[in-house]
Amino acid sequence: MQDPIEEIRTRLTIEEVVQPYVSLKKAGRNFKACCPFHKEKTPSFVVSPEKQLAYCFGCHKGGDMFKFIQEAEGVDFRGALEILADKANVELKAGPGPRVSKDEKDTYVDLQKELSDFYSKNLYSKDGKKVLEYIKDRGVTDESIKEWGIGFAKDSFEAGYKHLLSKNFHKSDAVKTGVLISKDTSGDKVYDRFRLRLIFPIFDDMGRVVGFGGRALKKGDEPKYLNSPDSPVYNKSKVLYGLNLAKEHIKSEDLAVVVEGYMDVISSYQSGIKNVVASSGTALTDGQLKLLKRFTKNIAFCFDTDAAGRDALNRAIESAQPLDLNLKIVLIPGYKDPDECCKDDPSKWRDAIENAKYYLDFYLENSEYDVSDLEQSKAFCDMYLGLLSGVKHPLEQETYLNKLASKVSVPA
């Protein structure tokens, strides 16, 4: 069996790999472009088909196709290998766990892309008229609907299933992705998971449809948001909504803003603030934070101010502290979420991000504890000392220990 690295090199050229990231122009034997790794007006990024290298003479980043993908996507060598193997249609040796071939994964992705297109067409059909009015009333433009693939699942147990069958997809594959649910253990009887819901396709960081989020349209339908289950192509703990579009903006801004919901991301993006992703209603995980760290070490959280939002923030901070990230908290007084703020005044959302508080200062200054009361002061100290125990640098620990001591009026 041919070595996968060499097989990738025989199937791909450096210019094919680089082309999606920059606009290449022929320059003698080589190609030139403005560097994808830093801002410049005069092109200093050179791609050599002869040497199969891509290198910037300005910032000195680049190398062969594997090194280029490592730099461009913020991944390690294994990550670059997986991305290029996928592009070159090369099978990699399976790791631990059930083996899922590349062809199977491609089928699951293609199936969900087909269903996503079906939902998009539904939104502009006669049945979707009121739903389209609803989403436009929420301030979403036709351009955003198209860019984010927003769609509509009709009130039917089999509309999606029948459509997939008409496109020669198999029932068993649709069940494995979670878009169909089995009524029995044999899997013979199935029905559509998403019915009478506004549909948000969930893309992985490479822009492939790997799952769906569906918002209930009928009052009383629970849950309000229904998401695809984990599948061979979708692990919700390793996917962030919007990262496929936000990653380049996160790199250029050197900041990732993490919000809770789909509409928070879409409204922010529509307002011109594009370095935003969502945890999609789940607790932010270690895997999601490591994914963001590929693009920046600066993370700002903006979660709802209710009890659930505060709990989500606390868990996010706890997960993020060991990863040596620079953490901030975004406050938007007077608004329940970024979506509402963007619709009222996008400049306030931009200002809120620019004025985000360092997380240790945020917890000091926005405490709900009354430190004049002994019991509440003790509880506050316990909470904050727990936070400080996750701080790695002793100087930072000592600085904020002194701030805590000053707040509760006791010696450090």
Side-chain angles (χ1 to χ4, degrees), residues 371 374 377 381 385 401-412:
V371 294
L374 179 58
S377 184
C381 283
L385 288 170
L401 184 64
N402 284 321
K403 289 186 177 185
L404 172 64
S406 177
K407 185 175 180 70
V408 296
S409 303
V410 298

Side-chain angles (χ1 to χ4, degrees), residues 55-104:
Y55 186 77
C56 178
F57 289 89
C59 67
H60 308 294
K61 288 184 178 180
D64 66 5
M65 63 178 69
F66 293 93
K67 187 64 179 174
F68 174 81
I69 289 295
Q70 283 181 259
E71 294 283 3
E73 292 293 341
V75 294
D76 58 12
F77 180 80
R78 177 68 194 186
L81 179 64
E82 290 174 357
I83 290 169
L84 289 171
D86 189 63
K87 188 176 180 69
N89 201 25
V90 170
E91 198 81 49
L92 295 179
K93 185 178 179 182
R99 180 181 172 83
V100 181
S101 72
K102 183 182 182 302
D103 286 344
E104 286 177 292

Side-chain angles (χ1 to χ4, degrees), residues 22 103 110 113 124 136 155 174 206 254 285 290 326 338 348 353 358 379 381:
V22 293
D103 286 344
D110 291 344
K113 177 63 170 68
Y124 287 92
K136 287 190 174 182
D155 190 8
M206 300 300 292
D254 197 18
T285 66
K290 286 178 178 176
N326 179 31
K348 289 184 179 178
I353 294 170
Y358 186 56
C381 283

Side-chain angles (χ1 to χ4, degrees), residues 4 54 62 79 104 109 118 186 209 247 272 276 292 306 326 333 335 364 395 402 411-412:
E104 286 177 292
V109 169
F118 174 67
S186 68
V209 181
K247 59 185 181 182
V276 179
L292 283 179
D306 58 13
N326 179 31
Y335 300 98
L364 267 181
L395 178 59
N402 284 321

